Amino acid sequence: FTHNNGTVKFTGSNWGAIKSGGTSVGKYTFYNVEVDMGGGEGVHVSTVNYETDKTSDPINGGLVIKNDLTINASKTFSMGNLGFPLRVQGKAIINGLWKNYSSAWGTNAAGNLYLNDVELNSGGELQPPKTNRETFISGAFRNLGGTLSNVA
């Protein structure tokens, strides 16, 4: 699959999955990702082999979105057994729900989020990772009426 530095848009009435590892630098890279998928969990990110992938390079490995991640209104982007880092190098535009699970994350640091700019719009909700995970924001965080929550 070659995206040619374009936008990968997840659509449909059910749910989709980005199943990826993270043991190789740059192995799982997208340019723009747009989540516009209804039903269930929307777009769910998980690893193919959690036991292997949890040892990935916490700085350079994992899933990389080289530009923007857009979660459309009433849509969900969920993180599951993510044993590798997720980084968004452009802007994370949150109009829907960015949901993270704490129970499956384990204790390794590789499941951290590395974000540049974050735009949390009205109707959007960001549930950052917890249980030995951190969210790093290197750019601006703009809350334009959204919700930042820590759901147990």
Side-chain angles (χ1 to χ4, degrees):
F1 170 72
T2 303
H3 53 73
N4 295 320
N5 287 341
T7 298
V8 176
K9 183 174 183 176
F10 292 89
T11 63
S13 60
N14 207 340
W15 65 277
I18 301 173
K19 290 195 174 209
S20 56
T23 55
S24 299
V25 174
K27 184 174 180 183
Y28 302 99
T29 303
F30 292 92
Y31 189 72
N32 286 316
V33 172
E34 183 176 350
V35 176
D36 193 29
M37 183 165 254
E41 297 296 327
V43 175
H44 180 78
V45 180
S46 66
T47 60
V48 173
N49 184 340
Y50 178 67
E51 290 305 312
T52 299
D53 296 337
K54 72 181 181 180
T55 61
S56 71
D57 181 343
I59 302 301
N60 300 305
L63 178 63
V64 177
I65 299 173
K66 296 185 112 183
N67 200 32
D68 297 342
L69 166 65
T70 302
I71 304 167
N72 291 336
S74 303
K75 306 303 178 187
T76 302
F77 182 72
S78 66
M79 313 284 280
N81 296 331
L82 196 60
F84 57 88
L86 171 75
R87 69 191 77 261
V88 179
Q89 296 174 339
K91 184 186 287 187
I93 303 165
I94 305 167
N95 300 304
L97 173 61
W98 185 332
K99 178 166 59 172
N100 292 283
Y101 297 101
S102 62
S103 61
W105 286 66
T107 57
N108 65 302
N112 292 332
L113 295 180
Y114 297 90
L115 308 174
N116 186 27
D117 293 331
V118 177
E119 183 178 299
L120 183 56
N121 294 308
S122 179
E125 182 176 356
L126 173 60
Q127 297 175 0
K130 48 195 177 285
T131 311
N132 302 313
R133 295 294 188 269
E134 296 186 66
T135 299
F136 299 93
I137 300 173
S138 60
F141 181 89
R142 295 185 65 209
N143 188 341
L144 302 172
T147 302
L148 180 62
S149 62
N150 187 8
V151 178

